[in-house]
Amino acid sequence: MRFKGLHHIELSVLDYDASVAFFDKLFGWLGYKSFWTLDIGYRSTYYMARFPFFHSYIGIQPAQSGGKLDHSERATGIHHVALWARSRREVDAFYRDFLLKNQIPVTEPPAEYPTYTPGYYAVFFDDPITGIHFELSHTPMLPSLSSYRAWLDTLKGIWRKHPEWQAAPWKEAMRKLPAKDEQ
Protein backbone atom coordinates (compact mmCIF):
# COMPACT_ATOMS: atom_id res chain seq x y z
CA MET A 1 0.00 0.00 0.00
CA ARG A 2 1.23 3.50 -0.81
CA PHE A 3 1.75 5.77 2.17
CA LYS A 4 3.71 8.74 0.86
CA GLY A 5 1.56 10.10 -1.97
CA LEU A 6 3.08 12.44 -4.54
CA HIS A 7 6.82 12.01 -5.18
CA HIS A 8 7.34 15.33 -6.97
CA ILE A 9 5.79 17.81 -9.33
CA GLU A 10 7.48 20.04 -11.91
CA LEU A 11 5.90 23.39 -12.75
CA SER A 12 6.76 25.40 -15.87
CA VAL A 13 7.02 29.10 -15.05
CA LEU A 14 6.89 32.20 -17.25
CA ASP A 15 9.81 34.18 -15.80
CA TYR A 16 12.26 31.69 -14.32
CA ASP A 17 14.42 34.18 -12.41
CA ALA A 18 11.44 36.09 -10.97
CA SER A 19 9.79 32.77 -10.09
CA VAL A 20 12.92 31.50 -8.34
CA ALA A 21 12.96 34.72 -6.28
CA PHE A 22 9.26 34.32 -5.40
CA PHE A 23 9.49 30.60 -4.58
CA ASP A 24 12.69 31.14 -2.58
CA LYS A 25 10.76 33.56 -0.35
CA LEU A 26 7.64 31.36 -0.22
CA PHE A 27 9.37 28.08 0.56
CA GLY A 28 12.06 29.75 2.69
CA TRP A 29 9.32 31.17 4.90
CA LEU A 30 7.85 27.67 5.26
CA GLY A 31 11.26 26.18 6.17
CA TYR A 32 11.89 24.20 2.98
CA LYS A 33 15.34 23.41 1.57
CA SER A 34 16.27 23.93 -2.07
CA PHE A 35 18.66 22.67 -4.71
CA TRP A 36 19.04 23.22 -8.43
CA THR A 37 20.36 21.28 -11.42
CA LEU A 38 23.35 23.56 -12.02
CA ASP A 39 22.03 23.72 -15.61
CA ILE A 40 23.61 20.32 -16.33
CA GLY A 41 21.39 18.96 -19.09
CA TYR A 42 18.31 20.93 -18.05
CA ARG A 43 17.34 23.84 -15.83
CA SER A 44 15.22 23.29 -12.71
CA THR A 45 15.13 24.46 -9.12
CA TYR A 46 13.63 22.18 -6.46
CA TYR A 47 12.06 22.77 -3.05
CA MET A 48 11.54 20.11 -0.41
CA ALA A 49 10.27 19.98 3.16
CA ARG A 50 12.67 17.28 4.36
CA PHE A 51 16.35 17.16 3.44
CA PRO A 52 18.34 15.08 2.68
CA PHE A 53 15.68 12.34 3.00
CA PHE A 54 12.93 14.13 1.14
CA HIS A 55 9.34 12.91 1.10
CA SER A 56 8.23 14.90 -1.93
CA TYR A 57 9.36 18.01 -3.71
CA ILE A 58 8.26 20.74 -6.08
CA GLY A 59 10.39 21.72 -9.04
CA ILE A 60 10.17 24.72 -11.32
CA GLN A 61 11.60 25.06 -14.81
CA PRO A 62 11.36 27.71 -17.54
CA ALA A 63 8.22 27.49 -19.67
CA GLN A 64 8.71 27.45 -23.41
CA SER A 65 5.17 28.52 -24.32
CA GLY A 66 1.90 29.64 -22.77
CA GLY A 67 0.67 32.57 -20.74
CA LYS A 68 -0.22 33.44 -17.19
CA LEU A 69 -2.67 31.00 -15.60
CA ASP A 70 -6.05 31.86 -14.14
CA HIS A 71 -7.23 29.03 -11.86
CA SER A 72 -10.80 30.33 -11.93
CA GLU A 73 -11.01 29.38 -15.64
CA ARG A 74 -10.36 25.73 -14.74
CA ALA A 75 -8.37 25.18 -17.92
CA THR A 76 -6.66 21.87 -18.61
CA GLY A 77 -3.66 21.37 -16.32
CA ILE A 78 -3.01 21.75 -12.64
CA HIS A 79 -5.77 23.58 -10.78
CA HIS A 80 -3.78 24.10 -7.58
CA VAL A 81 -0.94 22.74 -5.48
CA ALA A 82 -1.64 22.15 -1.78
CA LEU A 83 1.22 22.36 0.72
CA TRP A 84 1.16 20.92 4.24
CA ALA A 85 1.10 23.27 7.23
CA ARG A 86 2.11 22.11 10.70
CA SER A 87 -0.82 23.83 12.38
CA ARG A 88 -3.64 26.33 12.01
CA ARG A 89 -1.34 28.88 13.64
CA GLU A 90 1.16 28.37 10.83
CA VAL A 91 -1.59 28.95 8.22
CA ASP A 92 -2.63 32.17 10.00
CA ALA A 93 0.96 33.39 10.41
CA PHE A 94 1.75 32.59 6.76
CA TYR A 95 -1.32 34.56 5.66
CA ARG A 96 -0.52 37.55 7.87
CA ASP A 97 3.29 37.61 7.78
CA PHE A 98 3.99 36.36 4.25
CA LEU A 99 1.02 36.68 1.91
CA LEU A 100 -0.34 40.04 3.10
CA LYS A 101 3.09 41.47 3.88
CA ASN A 102 4.31 40.66 0.34
CA GLN A 103 1.00 41.61 -1.33
CA ILE A 104 0.54 38.10 -2.76
CA PRO A 105 -2.93 37.67 -4.33
CA VAL A 106 -5.07 35.78 -1.79
CA THR A 107 -8.16 34.14 -3.30
CA GLU A 108 -9.55 32.72 -0.03
CA PRO A 109 -8.34 33.85 3.41
CA PRO A 110 -7.73 31.30 6.18
CA ALA A 111 -10.86 29.35 7.03
CA GLU A 112 -12.04 25.94 8.12
CA TYR A 113 -13.48 23.79 5.32
CA PRO A 114 -15.68 21.18 7.03
CA THR A 115 -16.75 19.73 3.67
CA TYR A 116 -13.27 18.29 3.09
CA THR A 117 -12.46 16.54 6.37
CA PRO A 118 -12.77 17.29 10.10
CA GLY A 119 -10.56 20.23 11.09
CA TYR A 120 -9.37 21.04 7.55
CA TYR A 121 -8.03 24.62 7.63
CA ALA A 122 -6.47 26.44 4.68
CA VAL A 123 -5.58 29.64 2.84
CA PHE A 124 -5.55 29.87 -0.99
CA PHE A 125 -3.32 32.20 -3.03
CA ASP A 126 -1.86 32.74 -6.51
CA ASP A 127 1.75 32.82 -7.61
CA PRO A 128 2.00 36.44 -8.84
CA ILE A 129 4.33 35.63 -11.73
CA THR A 130 2.85 32.55 -13.44
CA GLY A 131 -0.56 32.47 -11.75
CA ILE A 132 -0.22 28.96 -10.31
CA HIS A 133 -2.85 28.54 -7.60
CA PHE A 134 -1.57 27.33 -4.21
CA GLU A 135 -3.08 26.29 -0.92
CA LEU A 136 -1.44 26.01 2.49
CA SER A 137 -3.54 23.62 4.53
CA HIS A 138 -3.54 21.90 7.88
CA THR A 139 -5.37 18.66 8.60
CA PRO A 140 -5.10 17.60 12.24
CA MET A 141 -4.10 14.03 13.08
CA LEU A 142 -6.86 13.98 15.68
CA PRO A 143 -9.57 16.54 14.97
CA SER A 144 -11.45 18.14 17.83
CA LEU A 145 -14.93 16.91 18.64
CA SER A 146 -16.38 20.23 17.42
CA SER A 147 -14.53 19.91 14.09
CA TYR A 148 -15.80 16.36 13.68
CA ARG A 149 -19.37 17.51 14.41
CA ALA A 150 -19.05 20.41 11.93
CA TRP A 151 -17.85 17.97 9.24
CA LEU A 152 -20.66 15.53 9.97
CA ASP A 153 -23.30 18.29 10.03
CA THR A 154 -22.01 19.74 6.75
CA LEU A 155 -22.12 16.37 5.00
CA LYS A 156 -25.56 15.56 6.41
CA GLY A 157 -26.79 18.90 5.03
CA ILE A 158 -25.40 18.02 1.61
CA TRP A 159 -26.92 14.53 1.85
CA ARG A 160 -30.40 16.00 2.38
CA LYS A 161 -30.02 17.76 -1.00
CA HIS A 162 -29.28 14.43 -2.74
CA PRO A 163 -32.13 11.95 -2.24
CA GLU A 164 -30.66 9.83 -5.05
CA TRP A 165 -27.73 8.79 -2.84
CA GLN A 166 -28.16 5.26 -1.51
CA ALA A 167 -25.73 5.78 1.39
CA ALA A 168 -24.20 8.52 3.51
CA PRO A 169 -21.81 10.85 1.62
CA TRP A 170 -18.74 9.43 3.39
CA LYS A 171 -19.70 6.01 1.97
CA GLU A 172 -21.25 7.16 -1.33
CA ALA A 173 -18.05 9.02 -2.28
CA MET A 174 -15.74 5.99 -1.97
CA ARG A 175 -14.67 4.32 -5.21
CA LYS A 176 -13.09 0.93 -5.72
CA LEU A 177 -10.01 0.93 -7.91
CA PRO A 178 -8.92 -2.17 -9.85
CA ALA A 179 -6.13 -3.98 -7.99
CA LYS A 180 -3.07 -5.39 -9.76
CA ASP A 181 -4.61 -8.85 -10.04
CA GLU A 182 -7.87 -7.43 -11.44
CA GLN A 183 -6.21 -5.74 -14.42
Side-chain angles (χ1 to χ4, degrees):
M1 172 186 262
R2 301 270 177 223
F3 65 96
K4 287 191 175 183
L6 189 69
H7 185 278
H8 74 278
I9 187 169
E10 285 270 342
L11 305 171
S12 296
V13 296
L14 293 175
D15 181 333
Y16 183 76
D17 292 331
S19 291
V20 167
F22 169 70
F23 286 120
D24 281 358
K25 286 178 69 174
L26 166 72
F27 291 117
W29 196 98
L30 292 170
Y32 281 55
K33 302 291 184 198
S34 180
F35 69 95
W36 73 301
T37 60
L38 304 173
D39 295 337
I40 300 172
Y42 62 99
R43 188 172 206 193
S44 286
T45 298
Y46 299 101
Y47 302 91
M48 72 203 77
R50 293 189 217 158
F51 185 84
F53 305 109
F54 60 86
H55 173 276
S56 60
Y57 60 89
I58 296 169
I60 63 168
Q61 58 185 255
Q64 296 188 11
S65 66
K68 190 167 183 176
L69 303 174
D70 180 351
H71 78 276
S72 65
E73 293 176 358
R74 294 194 180 262
T76 301
I78 294 172
H79 180 267
H80 73 276
V81 175
L83 307 169
W84 283 100
R86 291 184 189 98
S87 66
R88 291 170 76 120
R89 284 188 308 279
E90 185 177 41
V91 172
D92 290 336
F94 179 75
Y95 170 70
R96 181 187 62 244
D97 300 336
F98 180 78
L99 296 174
L100 294 181
K101 180 180 172 186
N102 290 289
Q103 299 176 343
I104 306 300
V106 174
T107 58
E108 296 174 58
E112 188 163 327
Y113 294 88
T115 304
Y116 302 158
T117 195
Y120 195 103
Y121 190 78
V123 61
F124 295 83
F125 59 98
D126 291 335
D127 154 12
I129 295 110
T130 304
I132 298 167
H133 195 50
F134 281 90
E135 169 186 358
L136 181 65
S137 60
H138 172 68
T139 304
M141 292 284 286
L142 294 171
S144 68
L145 189 54
S146 63
S147 290
Y148 180 77
R149 283 189 190 131
W151 172 75
L152 205 54
D153 289 345
T154 299
L155 291 185
K156 284 179 179 178
I158 293 168
W159 190 7
R160 284 190 286 276
K161 296 176 184 175
H162 291 276
E164 74 276 13
W165 290 351
Q166 301 297 309
W170 47 90
K171 292 181 181 177
E172 190 78 23
M174 297 308 296
R175 301 174 57 243
K176 183 177 183 327
L177 298 176
K180 287 179 188 176
D181 59 350
E182 297 172 329
Q183 296 184 30

